[in-house]
Amino acid sequence: MKQKNRLFKLLPVMLAFFVMGFVDLVGAITNFVKEDFGLSDSIAKVLPAMAFFWFFILSVPTGMLINRIGRRKTIVLSLAVTSLALLVPLFGYSFPVMLVSFSLLGIGNTLIQVSINPLISGMISEKRLASTMTFGQFVKAIASFLGPVVAIWVSLAFNNWKILFPVFMTVSILATLWLGMTRIEEEKESAGGSGFWECLKLLGNPLILLSFIGIMCHVGIDVGINTTMPEIMKEYFGMSREDAGFASSVYFLFRLAGCLAGAFVLARWSGRKVFTVSVLLMAVAIAGLIFFHSRETVYACIALAGLGNANIFPVIVSQALLHLPGRRNEVSALMIMGLIGGTVFPLLMGKASDLMATQTGSLLILGITVLYLLLFSPKLKK
């Protein structure tokens, strides 16, 4: 009975993971907005930058907010903000309005990302933590995969891609109501609430600092591939934006498959082994995209990148949470602050591609992030 009750309480949390994946809409939407307003690559990259900028600003304050109101209530607040983010574009479509929408999407996603991992860690045994978090990432990846598909479908069917906003907003409102009505017991932090600077001081711990940079690289790869692959398809093969957008769906489809596989593999293999294999797959993918330009090879490399990046996040975060178990709220906040990589690296990729007048510049920046993860892998515990 207790196991059944725990499963029932996990269901709205998993729906929250699904809503968390809405932040990956920024990739598909950015390419539509770029073409609609005739933006340069570097200016267009400001849109995903606005979404992920808030992870750096609000992650630590969110950890402090969790200490005050609890994890579940923080997630409910995040779902409400996400619903508002998807509502804003319905009142007008312009570049400033989309900046506001993306900012709200980033704020809501910051709140949920910081709070949902420690909430899961309090509901699941340590042995099952990495695999459960990976299953949550699998659910998130479903939303990430559906985003470009829905955008392309409504664009072709109704000649209006913006119909995706009310569709996803409805799901977000449902998740808000469901989790809001669900009671979840939360354990108290043994170390008590920490101030802003006390939280930042945790970066003085070598594993926490390396993990923070690792999260930056992981998200830089995720957002970078999401926004760059359609541009690569247009550059290499002269595709339309609808056809080129399919590349993002391929990435998220294989990321989805990787998350599902990881939920089982991480229950049996060490996190470090899975991490190392994953990074090697991404290294092969980036090298292939730089040196081989046939359509089959490009799609194969996109698939490898999706598989490789699927389990990086849960491995890093689960090890960081277990490294300082009495400071999970603060550690989670610092890990999510690392999602600023979704701002830093796409901006660097936009500048590099503009300077080189080719998307190869973006791929070289991605190669640097993969190299760091490869060097980081020996630091993980077996």
Side-chain angles (χ1 to χ4, degrees), residues 69-380:
I69 69 173
R71 298 160 185 168
R72 183 188 64 86
K73 289 182 179 179
T74 305
I75 297 174
V76 172
L77 176 62
S78 76
L79 296 172
V81 174
T82 300
S83 301
L84 179 61
L86 298 169
L87 176 65
V88 167
L90 301 181
F91 292 100
Y93 178 54
S94 65
F95 186 64
V97 167
M98 295 310 299
L99 288 176
V100 172
S101 176
F102 275 42
S103 294
L104 288 172
L105 195 61
I107 292 170
N109 215 260
T110 303
L111 294 171
I112 192 172
Q113 295 251 23
V114 174
S115 51
I116 202 167
N117 292 315
L119 181 68
I120 288 288
S121 70
M123 300 173 68
I124 300 298
S125 66
E126 291 187 2
K127 184 178 180 181
R128 298 292 181 182
L129 180 57
S131 60
T132 303
M133 288 175 60
T134 301
F135 185 76
Q137 292 297 313
F138 164 72
V139 175
K140 174 181 179 288
I142 295 176
S144 302
F145 167 69
L146 289 177
V149 173
V150 172
I152 294 169
W153 181 74
V154 297
S155 178
L156 294 174
F158 303 100
N159 197 30
N160 184 6
W161 64 268
K162 294 182 285 297
I163 293 176
L164 66 86
F165 288 113
V167 173
F168 284 97
M169 183 182 68
T170 302
V171 178
S172 184
I173 292 173
L174 175 62
T176 305
L177 296 175
W178 191 1
L179 188 59
M181 294 184 294
T182 303
R183 295 177 61 88
I184 299 176
E185 296 294 329
E186 301 179 32
E187 79 278 9
K188 298 293 183 180
E189 290 289 289
S190 60
S194 295
F196 184 83
W197 294 112
E198 285 72 18
C199 185
L200 288 182
K201 285 179 182 178
L202 293 180
L203 290 173
N205 185 293
L207 181 62
I208 300 300
L209 176 61
L210 293 173
S211 298
F212 171 79
I213 300 173
I215 295 295
M216 285 188 64
C217 292
H218 156 73
V219 181
I221 294 168
D222 206 42
V223 179
I225 289 179
N226 191 12
T227 56
T228 300
M229 288 306 107
E231 296 300 314
I232 284 180
M233 303 308 286
K234 289 193 286 186
E235 177 181 318
Y236 288 3
F237 311 115
M239 291 183 173
S240 67
R241 69 178 184 179
E242 285 80 13
D243 291 337
F246 181 68
S248 294
S249 296
V250 171
Y251 170 75
F252 284 116
L253 176 63
F254 280 87
R255 193 173 183 274
L256 179 68
C259 287
L260 180 60
F264 299 99
V265 172
L266 281 168
R268 294 167 175 80
W269 288 12
S270 72
R272 188 167 76 175
K273 183 182 295 185
V274 173
F275 187 92
T276 303
V277 172
S278 298
V279 175
L280 290 175
L281 288 177
M282 287 193 289
V284 171
I286 300 302
L289 288 170
I290 293 175
F291 296 108
F292 302 101
H293 293 175
S294 71
R295 189 168 303 197
E296 295 78 10
T297 302
V298 169
Y299 277 122
C301 289
I302 294 172
L304 285 178
L307 285 173
N309 210 28
N311 298 301
I312 299 298
F313 183 85
V315 170
I316 294 178
V317 173
S318 61
Q319 291 221 7
L321 289 174
L322 296 176
H323 184 64
L324 295 175
R327 307 292 293 276
R328 289 182 179 179
N329 290 345
E330 292 87 345
V331 171
S332 178
L334 290 174
M335 294 302 101
I336 302 307
M337 190 168 73
L339 270 64
I340 187 64
T343 293
V344 174
F345 290 110
L347 288 177
L348 292 175
M349 291 166 65
K351 288 293 184 182
S353 63
D354 282 347
L355 287 173
M356 298 180 67
T358 173
Q359 292 299 324
T360 300
S362 295
L363 294 174
L364 291 175
I365 299 297
L366 288 177
I368 293 173
T369 62
V370 172
L371 177 61
Y372 173 84
L373 292 175
L374 191 61
L375 296 174
F376 174 54
S377 59
K379 305 295 183 181
L380 296 172

Side-chain angles (χ1 to χ4, degrees), residues 51-67:
F52 288 90
F53 166 77
W54 295 100
F55 288 105
F56 184 75
I57 300 298
L58 294 181
S59 290
V60 173
T62 299
M64 298 165 65
L65 176 66
I66 295 171
N67 287 331

Side-chain angles (χ1 to χ4, degrees), residues 11-81:
L11 290 177
V13 178
M14 288 301 152
L15 184 58
F17 267 108
F18 185 84
V19 175
M20 186 198 301
F22 291 179
V23 75
D24 291 320
L25 287 169
V26 300
I29 293 175
T30 294
N31 290 295
F32 281 104
V33 175
K34 177 184 178 181
E35 189 166 318
D36 288 345
F37 297 109
L39 306 176
S40 69
D41 199 48
S42 56
I43 295 299
K45 290 293 195 298
V46 172
L47 283 168
M50 286 304 297
F52 288 90
F53 166 77
W54 295 100
F55 288 105
F56 184 75
I57 300 298
L58 294 181
S59 290
V60 173
T62 299
M64 298 165 65
L65 176 66
I66 295 171
N67 287 331
R68 182 177 295 272
I69 69 173
R71 298 160 185 168
R72 183 188 64 86
K73 289 182 179 179
T74 305
I75 297 174
V76 172
L77 176 62
S78 76
L79 296 172
V81 174

